[in-house]
Amino acid sequence: MAGERRRATAVDVARLAGVSQSAVSRCFTEGASVSAETRSRVLEAARRLSYRPNAIARSLTTRRTNLIGVVMGDLDGPFQPYLFETLTRGLASRGRQPLLVRGDPADALDGTAMAALDYQVDAVVVTAGSVSPAAIRGLMALGVPLLLYGRAVEADGVDSICCDNPLGARLVAQALAAAGHRRIAYLGGRPTAFSEQERGSAFRAALAELGLPLAAAGEGDYSYDSGHREALRLLAGPDRPDALFCGNDAMAFGALDAARTALGLRVPDDLSIVGFDDVPMAGWPSFSLTTIRNPVEDIVAILLDMLERRLADPDAPPVLHRPPPLLVRRGSARL
């Protein structure tokens, strides 16, 4: 279109600065050798022309795009967006950018993980679902590191990190029992989810070790609505539980609203409610949710260190980290 301003190129910058195009490229390549005088002239020319380096063109030379494929499942709840925002900040601090790829956490994510390769990502981080051994081998053959968040996997070439879910569940059981609760119920998430398998089984085992039966159990899908629905069912009977542990915070929020608004219960006097994850909303005064802190900030920092290590040494032995969670006491539980 006539009058439309053309985007400046490296050739334009080189011409204005009176240097070669390769000198311009070196000025915008970290660690490249270039004199102070040349750099100054190039940067001034770039400023005058509003020039920005072409990351795609640069990647053809460096074979690095600094793009990290991030495979995520459901983004409707509070935890996954919180995780993605934390991961995005961490990647940006290291000069990298996320490429979000949506997948169904209920299914194997082979196709989704491999689809990220269409965008020439430097690595793939899977935060939900599972990846088959065949897909892992395919990624390894292409030299693309695979990191798993939220699953404890021991496989060659795969680094994984997951909070210690069993420890978190045991902390809840012990705290509720120590506070005198005897009719303790559990509201779990999807049975196929790795976190649910660990949290649910550990909670039941911990109650048994304490000599307490599980008073009631429900199955949600990690959503607010399922927490509200299942809480109404679990708390409606005459022998109502005096404590409810929910497999994540979103279901705990739903349970809190069901108990207080729909059933008129006093929380925590009539009923203690505990969640898992400690998303930012858990600290809001309207919820004041006692919960298990899934240490996302620490986990992301470790994950990024794992990523840098794997990119630097693709043949390094796999690592598995299980950061410990923390019981955060607020107003929703009598502990």
Side-chain angles (χ1 to χ4, degrees), residues 7 11 13 64 68 77 94 111-112 127 138 144 149 152 161 168 181 199 203 207 212 220 240 268 279 287 301 309 315:
R7 180 176 177 175
V11 173
V13 175
R64 293 286 192 200
I68 305 300
R94 303 192 183 206
T112 307
T127 69
V144 179
Y149 168 85
I161 185 166
H181 295 284
R199 294 171 191 178
F203 188 66
L207 288 180
L212 294 174
R240 186 185 68 242
V279 298
F287 291 120
R309 168 182 173 271
D315 297 322

Side-chain angles (χ1 to χ4, degrees), residues 9 20 23 27 44 80 95 106 112 123 147 187 193 199 245 278 296 327 329:
T9 68
S20 67
C27 285
E44 174 59 20
Q80 291 286 344
T112 307
L147 295 91
L187 173 52
R199 294 171 191 178
F245 173 40
D278 195 28
V296 170
L327 176 62
R329 299 169 187 260

Side-chain angles (χ1 to χ4, degrees), residues 153-160 309-310 315-320:
V153 175
E154 297 185 13
D156 289 341
V158 179
D159 299 318
S160 59
R309 168 182 173 271
R310 180 60 60 186
D315 297 322
V319 294
L320 167 62

